[in-house]
Amino acid sequence: MKGSALAEIWPLSPLQEGLLFHAAFDEQGPDVYAGQRAVELTGPVRPDLLRACWQALLARHAALRASFQPRRSGAPVQLIARTLTVPWREADLSGLAADAAAAAAARLAQEERAHRFDLAQPPLLRLLLRRFAADRHQLVITSHHILMDGWSMQVLLAKLAAVYAAGG
């Protein structure tokens, strides 16, 4: 991270130190600490608003803007970026037959999961909105466990729902 892009420097928690060690230990195979969740969205969805809500959450919660890098001494720290753009993709599968849409959706999710996170490059989450019909979407959230766990993901999704319901 360069100059004014850096907002803060934080220490790592003991769990983060362990996750960072294990992530660096085997950089060739699949990253077992990259998690993925698909959230069903029913009813009309405004992709532009949903993306803006995620961007707002990134702006509000510094921990979501963390990257992990060593100091000159070698000790790892969290570097908190001042601003970031949320990684966002959309895929419209609504024109496909059900079997083809399911296969394409699985392939897209697997591509996201297979793309390893560089823990030195924030943010350590990516979003994929899959559209199956005008009133049926899935939001695929791929994130690294060093950034958040299942409990904090639930808290973040509740905040997302509140921001979305408020119109951004």
Side-chain angles (χ1 to χ4, degrees):
M1 202 167 320
K2 297 180 178 144
S4 65
L6 180 63
E8 298 181 77
I9 299 174
W10 295 352
L12 273 64
S13 71
L15 178 60
Q16 286 174 320
E17 287 182 15
L19 290 169
L20 187 61
F21 171 81
H22 286 288
F25 184 74
D26 180 14
E27 295 178 339
Q28 301 305 313
D31 188 344
V32 296
Y33 295 108
Q36 194 171 70
R37 175 167 293 184
V39 179
E40 293 286 333
L41 305 173
T42 55
V45 171
R46 292 183 43 205
D48 58 333
L49 176 59
L50 188 57
R51 184 178 186 175
C53 290
W54 274 100
Q55 193 63 49
L57 290 175
L58 223 62
R60 290 179 193 170
H61 300 286
L64 296 177
R65 300 188 311 272
S67 65
F68 298 82
Q69 299 182 31
R71 289 184 179 269
R72 287 186 189 136
S73 68
V77 292
Q78 296 181 66
L79 300 181
I80 307 302
R82 189 171 310 285
T83 61
L84 289 174
T85 300
V86 66
W88 179 269
R89 284 179 42 190
E90 293 180 33
D92 187 351
L93 308 175
S94 63
L96 301 176
D99 289 348
R107 179 183 49 77
L108 289 166
Q110 179 55 32
E111 287 172 4
E112 288 292 325
R113 179 100 169 73
H115 181 70
R116 287 183 71 100
F117 285 101
D118 176 352
L119 299 185
Q121 296 298 317
L124 302 177
L125 66 92
R126 293 186 295 269
L127 303 164
L128 167 64
L129 182 63
R130 301 184 295 200
R131 181 178 191 263
F132 294 96
D135 62 349
R136 183 170 170 252
H137 295 73
Q138 283 182 342
L139 180 63
V140 179
I141 306 160
T142 306
S143 62
H144 199 280
H145 190 60
I146 201 168
L147 186 68
M148 71 180 110
D149 60 10
W151 180 85
S152 55
M153 175 66 79
Q154 294 296 41
V155 171
L156 187 63
L157 289 174
K159 289 181 178 195
L160 174 69
V163 172
Y164 188 86

